[in-house]
Amino acid sequence: MSTSSLPTLPAAPHPASASGGTDVAARLRDALLGASFTADGLLELLGAPAYAALARSETVPALRATRGDTPLEVLVRLFLLQQPVSHARVADVLPVDACLESGWLVRAGGDEVAATVDVRPYGGPGGEDWFIVSDLGCAVGGAGGIGSRDEGVVLGVGGASTTLAGITVRTPVGSALDIGTGSGIQALHAAQHATRVTATDLNPRALHITALTLALSGVPAADLREGSLFEPLRQGETYDLIVSNPPFVISPGARLTYRDGGMGGDDLCRSVVQGAGELLNEGGFAQFLANWQHVAGEEWQDRLRSWVPRGCDAWIVQREVQDVTQYAELWLRDAGDHRGDPAAYQALYDAWLDEFEARKVRAVGFGWITLRRTGSAEPSITVEEWPHPVEQPLGDTVRAHFERLDYLRAHDDAALLEAHFKLVPEIVQEQVGLPGAEDPEHVVLRQHRGMRRATKVDTVGAGFAGVCDGSLSAGRILDAIAQLMGEDPVVLRDRTPAQIRVLVEQGFLEPA
C-alpha cells in the first residue's frame, strides 16, 4: 500500500491537548466551537436540503449557501467544501499561522490557504460536539468514486459507521477494542464509556487520522497500534467490548484497502468473528458489521452459526441481501470504475462474477453480528432476517436481548408459570381478517420502538399479553383465560409457556 500521493497530514497532536494543554488541535477546536462549526450550526446555516446533499457528497447546494463572509461560512468552505480562502479572512477565525505550521492548512497560492484534511462536525449521543477527520473528499464513503484515487485514503463517517455506533452496547467498561479503526469514530464513541481504548489498523495513515479525530473532539487519546486485525494485540490481552466495521467487501482481490478484506470470499469477516471470542472478558460484547456469502446447497444461517466462537451467545441479524450482479455493481460504482474505460469496467465486472461462480455464491448478505461471552454451558445462537425499519440507537435493545436470554435460561416452564410479567410500553395490537367477520383471522402484536418487531399470536396469547401488568402470575392468568374460554386449565398451562418464551425473547413481555 502506498500513500505517497496523498497530502501530508497535520502533525500528531500533543498529549497535553487532552488535558487542557496548548496543542494546536485544542486551539483549533476552541475556534471551531466559537464559530458554531457544529452539527447543529451546520444544519441552521445550510438548511436541511443542502445539509442532506453533503451526506451524498454533493457540494453545490452548500456552496450556494455559503456565499457570505461569516466565520461559519468561512469554515464550511475551508474544511467541508475544500475551497481556498484568503489568509486574512481565515486569520479572523482560526489561529492561522499555528495551523499552517502544524499542517492543518497549506498555502494555496497568492494570499489563500486551503485545508489538508476534511473536518466534519459530528454530534455525539449525549449532545457532544465532536469532529471527524478524514482525507479530502472522503467524508462519506464511495459517493465520489473514492477508490479510484489511492488505496491509502481514510474515509470519514458513512452509513455503516453510524449503524455500528448505534447498535453498540454502551454500558461503562474497563477496556474497549476497535479493530480497523479508520477515521476513529468507534474509538471516539468508546472513549465515552471505556476507561481504556485500544484501536488497530493496517493503514498507519488511519491511526494518525484517528489521533487527530480524538484530539479535535476533546477526548483522551487511545492506544493506537499498527497491524492487521488482531495481530497488534499482546498475548493475554482481553477486553470488555470489541467493535469492528472491517473491510468486509467480498471481492476478487484486495484492490482497495479501506473496503476489501484481501481474503477469499467472506473469510475475513469469519476470522474477525471467530478471533474475538478468546479476547472477550466474561459478559463482554463483540459487535461487528459483516458481509456473508449465500452459497448454493448451503443454508446461510448454518454458515453463520459455524462462525460463532465457543463460549459465546450470538445474535446475528441479516438486514439486506443482494444478488451477485447487484453486489458487483454496487462496489464497482463505489470505486468509480463505472466512470472509466467501458472495456476495463466490463473486465472488472467479469472478474467479480467469475469469483462468485467459482465459489457457487448466489447472493451476499449484510448485517450485524453481536457476541457475548457467557458462562452458560449451552450458549444461545439466534440467526434471523429482519430487513424492516428499526429505531436507532439500538444499544439498549441489544443489551436487553441478552438479558432476556439469561432470564429464559434460568426459568423452566414451571418457573415461567410462577413468574409475573408486564407488557412492554408502546405495544399495539392489530386484528387481521375479512371486513365484517365476527372473529379475526389472526392477531398481531407490534412494537413501535427498538427493532419494531411484529409477531402473530393466537387468541390465548393476545389475551395473556393484554392483561400482563405484573399483578398476577402467568399461571393464574392462564387459569382465568381457560375458565373464560371453557378450556382445560391443565392443557392451557402445558401448551402456552412456549408462546410466553417467544414473547419474552422478542421483547414484547418483560419480567415484572
Side-chain angles (χ1 to χ4, degrees):
M1 178 187 67
S2 171
T3 59
S4 59
S5 64
L6 293 170
T8 300
L9 292 172
H14 191 280
S17 64
S19 56
T22 58
D23 184 83
V24 176
R27 295 173 61 192
L28 178 56
R29 172 177 171 80
D30 289 342
L32 297 178
L33 294 177
S36 297
F37 187 67
T38 63
D40 289 340
L42 278 186
L43 182 59
E44 183 176 350
L45 171 68
L46 301 179
Y51 189 81
L54 272 182
R56 303 190 298 271
S57 291
E58 295 291 348
T59 59
V60 171
L63 285 167
R64 293 173 61 85
T66 56
R67 289 177 287 195
D69 206 30
T70 66
L72 181 54
E73 287 170 300
V74 168
L75 293 176
V76 171
R77 294 179 75 84
L78 187 66
F79 284 117
L80 291 189
L81 306 178
Q82 283 89 58
Q83 300 296 306
V85 180
S86 75
H87 182 286
R89 191 64 197 94
V90 175
D92 291 337
V93 186
L94 301 177
V96 64
D97 292 333
C99 288
L100 284 166
E101 183 179 353
S102 61
W104 288 95
L105 303 176
V106 292
R107 296 194 180 277
D111 66 343
E112 293 184 321
V113 297
T116 59
V117 289
D118 185 294
V119 176
R120 187 150 303 224
Y122 177 78
E128 301 89 350
D129 289 316
W130 291 339
F131 300 96
I132 306 298
V133 181
S134 64
D135 273 313
L136 296 174
C138 299
V140 180
I146 288 167
S148 64
R149 292 186 282 141
D150 193 297
E151 64 175 12
V153 297
V154 178
L155 304 189
V157 177
S161 305
T162 54
T163 293
L164 179 58
I167 68 172
T168 299
V169 176
R170 297 297 176 193
T171 53
V173 295
S175 57
L177 171 64
D178 178 14
I179 299 295
T181 188
S183 61
I185 178 176
Q186 309 306 330
L188 180 58
H189 277 277
Q192 299 302 106
H193 62 104
T195 304
R196 174 173 58 90
V197 178
T198 302
T200 72
D201 204 290
L202 181 64
N203 183 359
R205 188 177 183 86
L207 297 176
H208 191 124
I209 283 182
T210 291
L212 298 176
T213 289
L214 298 179
L216 199 58
S217 298
V219 305
D223 179 5
L224 304 178
R225 304 186 194 176
E226 182 181 344
S228 177
L229 303 180
F230 303 112
E231 287 178 2
L233 304 184
R234 304 181 188 102
Q235 188 170 3
E237 284 186 313
T238 56
Y239 298 87
D240 303 307
L241 174 67
I242 299 173
V243 292
S244 183
N245 176 20
F248 53 67
V249 176
I250 300 171
S251 61
R255 193 162 57 109
L256 304 174
T257 304
Y258 72 83
R259 70 170 205 191
D260 299 329
M263 297 184 186
D266 51 17
D267 284 353
L268 183 132
C269 290
R270 176 183 54 79
S271 297
V272 172
V273 174
Q274 291 182 336
E278 62 185 20
L279 299 175
L280 279 178
N281 293 324
E282 190 70 23
F285 286 91
Q287 299 185 260
F288 316 99
L289 300 185
N291 276 180
W292 44 79
Q293 298 173 150
H294 286 224
V295 180
E298 172 186 277
E299 294 293 332
W300 66 269
Q301 296 94 332
D302 292 340
R303 183 180 193 84
L304 290 171
R305 287 189 184 96
S306 72
W307 290 10
V308 178
R310 284 178 141 189
C312 290
D313 291 329
W315 184 19
I316 302 172
V317 181
Q318 180 167 273
R319 296 286 290 155
E320 183 180 1
V321 181
Q322 291 185 320
D323 67 50
V324 292
T325 59
Q326 291 174 309
Y327 190 80
E329 290 163 14
L330 169 67
W331 295 110
L332 287 167
R333 283 180 168 81
D334 171 82
D337 294 315
H338 62 302
R339 297 174 179 169
D341 175 31
Y345 173 81
Q346 183 175 341
L348 288 168
Y349 200 150
D350 269 330
W352 283 72
L353 297 186
D354 286 345
E355 178 81 3
F356 285 134
E357 185 176 346
R359 294 179 176 275
K360 300 181 179 179
V361 177
R362 299 293 181 261
V364 177
F366 168 82
W368 319 324
I369 298 176
T370 299
L371 308 177
R372 184 191 60 165
R373 192 78 187 175
T374 177
S376 173
E378 297 183 5
S380 168
I381 301 176
T382 301
V383 184
E384 62 176 320
E385 186 164 20
W386 189 253
H388 311 295
V390 299
E391 183 187 48
Q392 285 273 36
L394 281 168
D396 287 344
T397 299
V398 173
R399 175 184 49 78
H401 169 87
F402 289 93
E403 290 176 349
R404 292 193 297 268
L405 287 182
D406 287 341
Y407 178 86
L408 292 172
R409 267 196 294 245
H411 290 73
D412 60 15
D413 287 355
L416 278 185
L417 293 174
E418 293 297 320
H420 295 236
F421 298 95
K422 292 193 301 182
L423 186 67
V424 172
E426 299 189 53
I427 302 294
V428 297
Q429 176 178 304
E430 300 173 358
Q431 298 188 142
V432 181
L434 293 173
E438 184 174 343
D439 296 312
E441 293 179 15
H442 60 265
V443 177
V444 173
L445 300 182
R446 188 178 301 277
Q447 301 168 349
H448 280 264
R449 306 298 300 271
M451 291 292 287
R452 295 179 175 171
R453 293 188 184 279
T455 189
K456 188 188 298 185
V457 293
D458 60 17
T459 305
V460 172
F464 179 85
V467 298
C468 277
D469 61 4
S471 61
L472 297 175
S473 70
R476 290 187 61 187
I477 292 174
L478 290 177
D479 291 342
I481 292 175
Q483 186 174 7
L484 286 172
M485 298 180 63
E487 290 199 27
D488 185 339
V490 175
V491 173
L492 205 59
R493 279 174 169 256
D494 185 57
R495 68 178 173 86
T496 306
Q499 191 168 190
I500 296 175
R501 286 185 181 277
V502 170
L503 292 175
V504 172
E505 181 180 353
Q506 294 190 352
F508 291 91
L509 296 176
E510 60 185 6

